[in-house]
Amino acid sequence: MTGDLFRDTVEPLAEGAVLLREFATAEAPALMAAVTNIAAASPFRHMTMPGGYDMSVAMTNCGDLGWVTDRRGYRYDPVDPDTGRSWPSMPPLFASLATRAADAAQYADFTPDACLINRYEPGARLSLHQDKDERDFEAPIVSISLGLPATFLFGGLRRKDRPRRIRLESGDVVVWGGPSRLVYHGVAPLADGDDPLTGGRRINLTLRKAR
Ligand code: MD6
Ligand code: FE
Protein backbone atom coordinates (compact mmCIF):
# COMPACT_ATOMS: atom_id res chain seq x y z
CA MET A 1 0.00 0.00 0.00
CA THR A 2 2.84 2.40 -0.71
CA GLY A 3 0.47 4.39 -2.95
CA ASP A 4 -1.52 5.61 0.06
CA LEU A 5 1.20 7.87 1.32
CA PHE A 6 1.05 10.09 -1.77
CA ARG A 7 -2.47 9.48 -2.97
CA ASP A 8 -3.86 12.80 -1.74
CA THR A 9 -1.06 14.76 -3.36
CA VAL A 10 -1.26 13.28 -6.89
CA GLU A 11 -3.51 15.67 -8.75
CA PRO A 12 -4.34 14.76 -12.35
CA LEU A 13 -4.08 17.72 -14.75
CA ALA A 14 -4.73 15.97 -18.05
CA GLU A 15 -4.07 12.57 -19.58
CA GLY A 16 -0.40 11.84 -18.85
CA ALA A 17 0.06 14.93 -16.64
CA VAL A 18 0.01 15.19 -12.85
CA LEU A 19 0.75 17.74 -10.17
CA LEU A 20 2.57 16.36 -7.12
CA ARG A 21 2.08 19.04 -4.51
CA GLU A 22 5.01 19.48 -2.10
CA PHE A 23 6.80 16.46 -3.55
CA ALA A 24 10.17 18.27 -3.34
CA THR A 25 9.57 20.36 -0.21
CA ALA A 26 11.95 18.39 2.01
CA GLU A 27 14.75 18.67 -0.57
CA ALA A 28 14.11 22.32 -1.48
CA PRO A 29 17.03 23.80 0.52
CA ALA A 30 19.47 21.25 -0.93
CA LEU A 31 18.13 21.87 -4.45
CA MET A 32 18.55 25.62 -4.00
CA ALA A 33 22.12 25.21 -2.71
CA ALA A 34 22.91 23.12 -5.78
CA VAL A 35 21.42 25.80 -8.06
CA THR A 36 23.69 28.40 -6.43
CA ASN A 37 26.71 26.19 -7.15
CA ILE A 38 25.68 25.60 -10.74
CA ALA A 39 25.16 29.33 -11.30
CA ALA A 40 28.66 30.04 -9.94
CA ALA A 41 30.08 27.98 -12.84
CA SER A 42 27.47 28.75 -15.54
CA PRO A 43 25.78 32.03 -14.59
CA PHE A 44 22.12 32.85 -15.23
CA ARG A 45 21.70 34.92 -18.37
CA HIS A 46 18.86 36.40 -20.43
CA MET A 47 19.07 34.53 -23.71
CA THR A 48 18.03 36.05 -27.02
CA MET A 49 15.09 34.65 -28.95
CA PRO A 50 15.49 34.02 -32.70
CA GLY A 51 13.31 37.12 -33.29
CA GLY A 52 15.82 39.31 -31.44
CA TYR A 53 14.12 39.88 -28.08
CA ASP A 54 15.83 38.94 -24.82
CA MET A 55 13.85 36.62 -22.56
CA SER A 56 12.59 38.10 -19.26
CA VAL A 57 13.39 34.77 -17.59
CA ALA A 58 17.10 34.21 -16.84
CA MET A 59 18.39 30.70 -17.58
CA THR A 60 21.24 28.30 -17.02
CA ASN A 61 21.56 24.51 -17.32
CA CYS A 62 23.20 21.45 -15.86
CA GLY A 63 23.67 17.96 -17.24
CA ASP A 64 25.11 16.58 -20.47
CA LEU A 65 23.08 19.01 -22.57
CA GLY A 66 21.68 22.49 -22.02
CA TRP A 67 18.83 24.25 -23.78
CA VAL A 68 19.92 27.46 -25.46
CA THR A 69 18.42 30.07 -27.76
CA ASP A 70 20.09 32.80 -29.82
CA ARG A 71 19.54 34.53 -33.16
CA ARG A 72 20.13 31.19 -34.92
CA GLY A 73 17.31 29.37 -33.10
CA TYR A 74 16.71 26.95 -30.23
CA ARG A 75 18.79 23.85 -29.58
CA TYR A 76 20.40 21.60 -27.02
CA ASP A 77 24.14 22.15 -26.72
CA PRO A 78 26.74 20.24 -24.66
CA VAL A 79 28.71 23.50 -24.30
CA ASP A 80 27.67 26.65 -22.44
CA PRO A 81 28.08 29.37 -25.09
CA ASP A 82 28.86 31.97 -22.39
CA THR A 83 31.75 30.05 -20.81
CA GLY A 84 32.88 27.82 -23.67
CA ARG A 85 32.88 24.88 -21.25
CA SER A 86 30.58 21.95 -20.56
CA TRP A 87 27.53 22.70 -18.44
CA PRO A 88 27.97 21.77 -14.76
CA SER A 89 27.17 18.12 -14.17
CA MET A 90 23.72 17.20 -12.94
CA PRO A 91 23.64 16.81 -9.15
CA PRO A 92 22.60 13.24 -8.24
CA LEU A 93 19.75 14.71 -6.16
CA PHE A 94 18.19 16.27 -9.29
CA ALA A 95 18.20 12.97 -11.17
CA SER A 96 16.98 10.88 -8.24
CA LEU A 97 14.15 13.27 -7.42
CA ALA A 98 13.10 13.35 -11.09
CA THR A 99 13.12 9.56 -11.31
CA ARG A 100 10.99 9.28 -8.14
CA ALA A 101 8.52 11.93 -9.30
CA ALA A 102 8.20 10.28 -12.73
CA ASP A 103 7.64 6.97 -10.98
CA ALA A 104 4.83 8.47 -8.87
CA ALA A 105 3.26 9.61 -12.16
CA GLN A 106 3.54 6.07 -13.63
CA TYR A 107 6.56 6.78 -15.87
CA ALA A 108 9.09 4.06 -15.02
CA ASP A 109 12.87 4.44 -15.41
CA PHE A 110 13.01 8.14 -16.30
CA THR A 111 16.68 9.14 -16.59
CA PRO A 112 17.14 12.83 -17.43
CA ASP A 113 20.26 14.02 -19.27
CA ALA A 114 19.43 17.75 -19.26
CA CYS A 115 18.13 20.21 -16.69
CA LEU A 116 17.07 23.71 -17.69
CA ILE A 117 17.03 26.12 -14.75
CA ASN A 118 14.74 29.14 -15.04
CA ARG A 119 14.96 32.16 -12.76
CA TYR A 120 12.00 34.58 -12.53
CA GLU A 121 12.11 38.00 -10.94
CA PRO A 122 8.88 39.99 -10.47
CA GLY A 123 7.32 40.70 -13.87
CA ALA A 124 9.22 37.91 -15.66
CA ARG A 125 7.02 35.61 -17.72
CA LEU A 126 7.18 32.76 -20.17
CA SER A 127 4.84 32.94 -23.14
CA LEU A 128 2.87 29.92 -24.33
CA HIS A 129 5.14 27.33 -25.94
CA GLN A 130 5.59 23.63 -26.60
CA ASP A 131 8.74 21.78 -25.55
CA LYS A 132 9.71 20.06 -28.76
CA ASP A 133 13.48 20.44 -29.06
CA GLU A 134 14.07 17.07 -27.39
CA ARG A 135 14.84 14.10 -29.60
CA ASP A 136 12.56 11.76 -27.71
CA PHE A 137 8.95 12.65 -26.93
CA GLU A 138 8.49 9.23 -25.30
CA ALA A 139 10.10 10.48 -22.09
CA PRO A 140 8.14 12.78 -19.77
CA ILE A 141 9.39 16.13 -18.42
CA VAL A 142 9.65 16.69 -14.67
CA SER A 143 9.29 20.27 -13.44
CA ILE A 144 10.24 21.39 -9.91
CA SER A 145 9.24 24.80 -8.54
CA LEU A 146 11.17 26.63 -5.81
CA GLY A 147 10.60 29.98 -4.13
CA LEU A 148 7.86 32.45 -5.00
CA PRO A 149 4.55 31.03 -6.24
CA ALA A 150 3.65 31.32 -9.91
CA THR A 151 0.57 30.99 -12.06
CA PHE A 152 1.29 28.20 -14.52
CA LEU A 153 -0.70 28.25 -17.76
CA PHE A 154 -1.57 24.75 -18.88
CA GLY A 155 -3.20 24.72 -22.29
CA GLY A 156 -3.99 22.14 -24.90
CA LEU A 157 -2.46 20.71 -28.05
CA ARG A 158 -3.50 23.76 -30.07
CA ARG A 159 -2.11 27.19 -29.31
CA LYS A 160 -5.59 28.67 -29.26
CA ASP A 161 -6.84 26.25 -26.54
CA ARG A 162 -7.59 28.40 -23.51
CA PRO A 163 -5.03 27.54 -20.79
CA ARG A 164 -6.00 26.61 -17.25
CA ARG A 165 -4.33 28.64 -14.51
CA ILE A 166 -2.58 26.49 -11.93
CA ARG A 167 -0.86 27.92 -8.88
CA LEU A 168 2.57 26.35 -8.35
CA GLU A 169 4.25 26.78 -4.99
CA SER A 170 7.71 26.02 -3.68
CA GLY A 171 8.24 22.25 -3.59
CA ASP A 172 5.50 21.46 -6.12
CA VAL A 173 6.43 19.07 -8.92
CA VAL A 174 4.64 18.64 -12.26
CA VAL A 175 5.24 15.57 -14.44
CA TRP A 176 3.88 15.33 -17.93
CA GLY A 177 4.32 13.11 -20.90
CA GLY A 178 2.38 10.72 -23.08
CA PRO A 179 -0.68 12.39 -24.61
CA SER A 180 0.18 15.68 -22.83
CA ARG A 181 3.83 15.83 -23.85
CA LEU A 182 3.26 18.56 -26.46
CA VAL A 183 0.67 20.72 -24.69
CA TYR A 184 1.12 24.48 -24.89
CA HIS A 185 2.09 26.01 -21.55
CA GLY A 186 3.58 29.13 -20.03
CA VAL A 187 4.01 31.17 -16.87
CA ALA A 188 2.10 34.41 -16.06
CA PRO A 189 4.14 37.46 -14.97
CA LEU A 190 5.62 36.75 -11.53
CA ALA A 191 4.13 38.75 -8.66
CA ASP A 192 6.31 40.47 -6.06
CA GLY A 193 7.00 38.60 -2.87
CA ASP A 194 9.59 37.48 -0.39
CA ASP A 195 10.38 33.81 -0.04
CA PRO A 196 12.52 32.44 2.81
CA LEU A 197 14.48 30.21 0.40
CA THR A 198 14.94 32.37 -2.71
CA GLY A 199 14.15 35.95 -1.64
CA GLY A 200 12.19 37.77 -4.36
CA ARG A 201 12.49 35.06 -7.00
CA ARG A 202 11.11 31.86 -8.39
CA ILE A 203 13.36 29.06 -9.62
CA ASN A 204 12.09 26.28 -11.86
CA LEU A 205 14.00 23.15 -12.77
CA THR A 206 12.85 21.15 -15.80
CA LEU A 207 14.43 17.74 -16.16
CA ARG A 208 14.38 16.25 -19.60
CA LYS A 209 15.70 13.47 -21.71
CA ALA A 210 17.02 15.56 -24.57
CA ARG A 211 18.68 12.73 -26.54
C1 MD6 B 1 8.35 27.09 -15.57
N1 MD6 B 1 8.15 25.44 -17.27
O1 MD6 B 1 7.61 26.46 -14.82
C2 MD6 B 1 8.39 26.79 -17.04
N2 MD6 B 1 8.14 22.97 -19.81
O2 MD6 B 1 9.10 27.98 -15.18
C3 MD6 B 1 8.11 24.91 -18.50
O3 MD6 B 1 8.23 25.59 -19.50
C4 MD6 B 1 7.92 23.49 -18.63
O4 MD6 B 1 7.25 23.19 -16.36
C5 MD6 B 1 7.97 21.66 -20.02
C6 MD6 B 1 7.56 20.83 -19.02
C7 MD6 B 1 7.33 21.33 -17.78
C8 MD6 B 1 7.49 22.69 -17.56
FE1 FE C 1 8.26 24.42 -21.30
Side-chain angles (χ1 to χ4, degrees):
M1 293 298 285
T2 51
D4 275 6
L5 185 57
F6 289 114
R7 178 152 57 198
D8 291 344
T9 66
V10 177
E11 211 172 294
L13 293 177
E15 217 190 321
V18 298
L19 168 54
L20 307 168
R21 287 202 195 270
E22 298 182 24
F23 192 88
T25 300
E27 288 92 349
L31 292 167
M32 197 55 216
V35 168
T36 301
N37 277 331
I38 290 162
S42 274
F44 283 102
R45 78 292 304 261
H46 295 273
M47 296 186 199
T48 303
M49 300 293 284
Y53 290 100
D54 282 357
M55 301 186 75
S56 60
V57 178
M59 297 178 168
T60 187
N61 291 276
C62 66
D64 293 343
L65 293 165
W67 186 86
V68 294
T69 175
D70 58 20
R71 291 304 301 239
R72 286 148 55 207
Y74 315 132
R75 64 189 172 280
Y76 279 96
D77 200 314
V79 172
D80 176 349
D82 278 20
T83 66
R85 296 188 299 265
S86 302
W87 298 100
S89 57
M90 190 182 301
L93 172 62
F94 286 24
S96 68
L97 195 54
T99 302
R100 281 192 284 130
D103 228 44
Q106 313 297 321
Y107 294 101
D109 305 318
F110 176 57
T111 49
D113 57 16
C115 178
L116 172 62
I117 306 174
N118 292 159
R119 187 186 72 192
Y120 298 74
E121 298 195 327
R125 61 187 288 272
L126 199 59
S127 55
L128 279 186
H129 67 277
Q130 294 171 295
D131 284 49
K132 54 181 184 188
D133 300 320
E134 300 72 27
R135 192 171 295 171
D136 173 13
F137 298 148
E138 295 295 304
I141 294 179
V142 174
S143 163
I144 304 172
S145 291
L146 300 171
L148 290 181
T151 299
F152 194 71
L153 308 170
F154 190 83
L157 292 172
R158 293 165 303 179
R159 186 183 286 279
K160 65 174 194 208
D161 293 334
R162 177 196 288 268
R164 293 155 60 189
R165 299 170 72 85
I166 298 163
R167 186 177 164 91
L168 292 183
E169 304 204 35
S170 195
D172 289 350
V173 176
V174 180
V175 182
W176 80 63
S180 291
R181 180 61 180 73
L182 293 174
V183 296
Y184 280 90
H185 58 281
V187 178
L190 194 78
D192 274 316
D194 187 22
D195 181 85
L197 189 60
T198 63
R201 293 166 168 168
R202 171 178 185 255
I203 300 286
N204 176 259
L205 313 174
T206 43
L207 294 120
R208 303 119 186 282
K209 194 164 150 9
R211 71 169 169 219

Tab-separated table of all heavy atoms in Angstrom, residues 31-45 59-62 80 83 85 87-88 94 117 119 201 203:
chain	number	residue	atom	x	y	z
A	31	LEU	N	18.250	21.548	-3.019
A	31	LEU	CA	18.129	21.873	-4.450
A	31	LEU	C	18.602	23.299	-4.703
A	31	LEU	O	19.342	23.569	-5.646
A	31	LEU	CB	16.676	21.721	-4.911
A	31	LEU	CG	16.118	20.291	-4.938
A	31	LEU	CD1	14.594	20.315	-5.105
A	31	LEU	CD2	16.752	19.472	-6.057
A	32	MET	N	18.186	24.218	-3.826
A	32	MET	CA	18.550	25.624	-4.002
A	32	MET	C	20.060	25.818	-3.842
A	32	MET	O	20.674	26.591	-4.594
A	32	MET	CB	17.764	26.464	-2.984
A	32	MET	CG	17.728	27.929	-3.293
A	32	MET	SD	17.100	28.277	-4.953
A	32	MET	CE	18.148	29.671	-5.349
A	33	ALA	N	20.655	25.119	-2.885
A	33	ALA	CA	22.119	25.210	-2.707
A	33	ALA	C	22.831	24.707	-3.960
A	33	ALA	O	23.831	25.300	-4.410
A	33	ALA	CB	22.544	24.405	-1.480
A	34	ALA	N	22.303	23.657	-4.553
A	34	ALA	CA	22.911	23.123	-5.784
A	34	ALA	C	22.764	24.120	-6.935
A	34	ALA	O	23.684	24.293	-7.739
A	34	ALA	CB	22.276	21.780	-6.141
A	35	VAL	N	21.617	24.794	-7.004
A	35	VAL	CA	21.419	25.803	-8.056
A	35	VAL	C	22.452	26.929	-7.909
A	35	VAL	O	23.032	27.399	-8.896
A	35	VAL	CB	19.977	26.371	-8.025
A	35	VAL	CG1	19.841	27.603	-8.910
A	35	VAL	CG2	18.972	25.294	-8.447
A	36	THR	N	22.704	27.344	-6.672
A	36	THR	CA	23.691	28.404	-6.432
A	36	THR	C	25.079	27.971	-6.924
A	36	THR	O	25.797	28.747	-7.558
A	36	THR	CB	23.713	28.766	-4.934
A	36	THR	OG1	22.397	29.193	-4.561
A	36	THR	CG2	24.704	29.872	-4.632
A	37	ASN	N	25.430	26.728	-6.660
A	37	ASN	CA	26.712	26.188	-7.148
A	37	ASN	C	26.789	26.147	-8.664
A	37	ASN	O	27.811	26.490	-9.257
A	37	ASN	CB	26.912	24.747	-6.638
A	37	ASN	CG	27.471	24.736	-5.235
A	37	ASN	OD1	28.176	25.651	-4.841
A	37	ASN	ND2	27.145	23.698	-4.486
A	38	ILE	N	25.717	25.688	-9.277
A	38	ILE	CA	25.675	25.602	-10.745
A	38	ILE	C	25.843	26.994	-11.343
A	38	ILE	O	26.636	27.203	-12.277
A	38	ILE	CB	24.349	24.954	-11.207
A	38	ILE	CG1	24.342	23.461	-10.836
A	38	ILE	CG2	24.129	25.155	-12.700
A	38	ILE	CD1	22.964	22.818	-10.829
A	39	ALA	N	25.125	27.972	-10.756
A	39	ALA	CA	25.163	29.334	-11.302
A	39	ALA	C	26.525	29.995	-11.095
A	39	ALA	O	26.873	30.936	-11.812
A	39	ALA	CB	24.051	30.180	-10.687
A	40	ALA	N	27.301	29.498	-10.123
A	40	ALA	CA	28.656	30.036	-9.942
A	40	ALA	C	29.550	29.620	-11.109
A	40	ALA	O	30.481	30.336	-11.471
A	40	ALA	CB	29.237	29.555	-8.618
A	41	ALA	N	29.273	28.471	-11.710
A	41	ALA	CA	30.078	27.976	-12.837
A	41	ALA	C	29.491	28.401	-14.186
A	41	ALA	O	30.229	28.756	-15.106
A	41	ALA	CB	30.176	26.449	-12.779
A	42	SER	N	28.178	28.336	-14.326
A	42	SER	CA	27.469	28.748	-15.543
A	42	SER	C	26.377	29.732	-15.132
A	42	SER	O	25.261	29.340	-14.785
A	42	SER	CB	26.841	27.527	-16.251
A	42	SER	OG	27.767	26.908	-17.118
A	43	PRO	N	26.704	31.023	-15.132
A	43	PRO	CA	25.777	32.027	-14.590
A	43	PRO	C	24.441	32.103	-15.343
A	43	PRO	O	24.364	31.806	-16.532
A	43	PRO	CB	26.553	33.333	-14.754
A	43	PRO	CG	27.988	32.939	-14.818
A	43	PRO	CD	28.004	31.604	-15.513
A	44	PHE	N	23.404	32.537	-14.608
A	44	PHE	CA	22.120	32.849	-15.232
A	44	PHE	C	22.342	33.972	-16.235
A	44	PHE	O	23.093	34.910	-15.994
A	44	PHE	CB	21.123	33.321	-14.172
A	44	PHE	CG	20.549	32.195	-13.351
A	44	PHE	CD1	21.010	31.939	-12.060
A	44	PHE	CD2	19.539	31.395	-13.863
A	44	PHE	CE1	20.469	30.910	-11.296
A	44	PHE	CE2	18.995	30.359	-13.106
A	44	PHE	CZ	19.458	30.114	-11.822
A	45	ARG	N	21.634	33.877	-17.352
A	45	ARG	CA	21.695	34.922	-18.373
A	45	ARG	C	20.352	35.003	-19.099
A	45	ARG	O	19.600	34.032	-19.140
A	45	ARG	CB	22.845	34.670	-19.356
A	45	ARG	CG	22.637	33.614	-20.462
A	45	ARG	CD	22.532	32.193	-19.993
A	45	ARG	NE	23.614	31.662	-19.203
A	45	ARG	CZ	24.600	30.901	-19.680
A	45	ARG	NH1	24.630	30.587	-20.954
A	45	ARG	NH2	25.500	30.403	-18.866
A	59	MET	N	18.241	32.153	-17.503
A	59	MET	CA	18.387	30.697	-17.585
A	59	MET	C	19.834	30.249	-17.453
A	59	MET	O	20.764	30.951	-17.833
A	59	MET	CB	17.868	30.185	-18.932
A	59	MET	CG	16.385	30.440	-19.139
A	59	MET	SD	15.826	29.880	-20.768
A	59	MET	CE	14.050	29.975	-20.520
A	60	THR	N	19.998	29.030	-16.920
A	60	THR	CA	21.243	28.295	-17.025
A	60	THR	C	20.854	26.816	-17.113
A	60	THR	O	19.663	26.497	-17.178
A	60	THR	CB	22.207	28.608	-15.860
A	60	THR	OG1	23.462	27.964	-16.120
A	60	THR	CG2	21.670	28.135	-14.520
A	61	ASN	N	21.841	25.939	-17.159
A	61	ASN	CA	21.565	24.507	-17.320
A	61	ASN	C	22.584	23.694	-16.540
A	61	ASN	O	23.686	24.165	-16.224
A	61	ASN	CB	21.720	24.083	-18.791
A	61	ASN	CG	20.653	24.648	-19.715
A	61	ASN	OD1	19.562	24.087	-19.832
A	61	ASN	ND2	20.959	25.757	-20.384
A	62	CYS	N	22.213	22.438	-16.286
A	62	CYS	CA	23.202	21.447	-15.862
A	62	CYS	C	22.868	20.128	-16.541
A	62	CYS	O	21.760	19.950	-17.057
A	62	CYS	CB	23.249	21.311	-14.339
A	62	CYS	SG	21.759	20.640	-13.596
A	80	ASP	N	28.257	25.366	-22.823
A	80	ASP	CA	27.670	26.652	-22.442
A	80	ASP	C	28.292	27.730	-23.324
A	80	ASP	O	29.496	27.979	-23.246
A	80	ASP	CB	27.979	26.917	-20.952
A	80	ASP	CG	27.489	28.295	-20.502
A	80	ASP	OD1	27.101	29.126	-21.349
A	80	ASP	OD2	27.520	28.533	-19.269
A	83	THR	N	30.476	30.399	-21.456
A	83	THR	CA	31.747	30.053	-20.806
A	83	THR	C	32.670	29.271	-21.739
A	83	THR	O	33.865	29.168	-21.475
A	83	THR	CB	31.512	29.178	-19.551
A	83	THR	OG1	30.976	27.917	-19.967
A	83	THR	CG2	30.552	29.858	-18.574
A	85	ARG	N	32.627	26.182	-21.911
A	85	ARG	CA	32.877	24.882	-21.253
A	85	ARG	C	31.593	24.068	-21.182
A	85	ARG	O	30.500	24.571	-21.408
A	85	ARG	CB	33.393	25.114	-19.822
A	85	ARG	CG	34.735	25.817	-19.744
A	85	ARG	CD	35.254	25.823	-18.307
A	85	ARG	NE	34.378	26.516	-17.387
A	85	ARG	CZ	34.491	27.796	-17.023
A	85	ARG	NH1	35.458	28.540	-17.526
A	85	ARG	NH2	33.647	28.338	-16.179
A	87	TRP	N	28.416	22.284	-19.531
A	87	TRP	CA	27.530	22.697	-18.440
A	87	TRP	C	27.939	21.946	-17.173
A	87	TRP	O	28.487	20.847	-17.246
A	87	TRP	CB	26.077	22.347	-18.783
A	87	TRP	CG	25.564	23.041	-19.995
A	87	TRP	CD1	25.454	22.510	-21.251
A	87	TRP	CD2	25.115	24.400	-20.084
A	87	TRP	NE1	24.946	23.459	-22.111
A	87	TRP	CE2	24.729	24.624	-21.427
A	87	TRP	CE3	24.980	25.448	-19.168
A	87	TRP	CZ2	24.235	25.847	-21.868
A	87	TRP	CZ3	24.488	26.662	-19.606
A	87	TRP	CH2	24.122	26.870	-20.934
A	88	PRO	N	27.694	22.508	-16.003
A	88	PRO	CA	27.969	21.771	-14.763
A	88	PRO	C	27.230	20.429	-14.782
A	88	PRO	O	26.155	20.309	-15.378
A	88	PRO	CB	27.403	22.694	-13.669
A	88	PRO	CG	27.403	24.065	-14.274
A	88	PRO	CD	27.152	23.860	-15.745
A	94	PHE	N	19.134	15.864	-8.242
A	94	PHE	CA	18.189	16.270	-9.293
A	94	PHE	C	17.648	15.028	-10.004
A	94	PHE	O	16.451	14.875	-10.216
A	94	PHE	CB	18.866	17.168	-10.340
A	94	PHE	CG	19.153	18.582	-9.903
A	94	PHE	CD1	19.294	18.913	-8.569
A	94	PHE	CD2	19.293	19.588	-10.864
A	94	PHE	CE1	19.581	20.223	-8.190
A	94	PHE	CE2	19.572	20.899	-10.501
A	94	PHE	CZ	19.718	21.209	-9.162
A	117	ILE	N	17.341	25.411	-15.988
A	117	ILE	CA	17.032	26.119	-14.748
A	117	ILE	C	16.578	27.531	-15.109
A	117	ILE	O	17.329	28.297	-15.720
A	117	ILE	CB	18.269	26.158	-13.820
A	117	ILE	CG1	18.808	24.738	-13.598
A	117	ILE	CG2	17.907	26.825	-12.486
A	117	ILE	CD1	20.123	24.687	-12.820
A	119	ARG	N	15.045	31.242	-13.904
A	119	ARG	CA	14.959	32.161	-12.757
A	119	ARG	C	14.049	33.340	-13.109
A	119	ARG	O	14.308	34.061	-14.077
A	119	ARG	CB	16.334	32.681	-12.366
A	119	ARG	CG	16.285	33.513	-11.071
A	119	ARG	CD	17.625	34.145	-10.771
A	119	ARG	NE	17.896	35.231	-11.706
A	119	ARG	CZ	19.082	35.819	-11.849
A	119	ARG	NH1	20.107	35.429	-11.130
A	119	ARG	NH2	19.244	36.795	-12.718
A	201	ARG	N	12.368	35.763	-5.720
A	201	ARG	CA	12.486	35.060	-6.998
A	201	ARG	C	11.755	33.729	-7.010
A	201	ARG	O	11.475	33.161	-5.960
A	201	ARG	CB	13.957	34.738	-7.268
A	201	ARG	CG	14.788	35.928	-7.496
A	201	ARG	CD	16.218	35.528	-7.400
A	201	ARG	NE	17.048	36.619	-7.894
A	201	ARG	CZ	18.348	36.673	-7.742
A	201	ARG	NH1	18.983	35.698	-7.115
A	201	ARG	NH2	19.024	37.682	-8.220
A	203	ILE	N	12.458	29.926	-8.845
A	203	ILE	CA	13.362	29.064	-9.616
A	203	ILE	C	12.557	27.863	-10.090
A	203	ILE	O	11.768	27.298	-9.319
A	203	ILE	CB	14.543	28.574	-8.747
A	203	ILE	CG1	15.370	29.754	-8.209
A	203	ILE	CG2	15.404	27.571	-9.503
A	203	ILE	CD1	16.248	30.453	-9.225
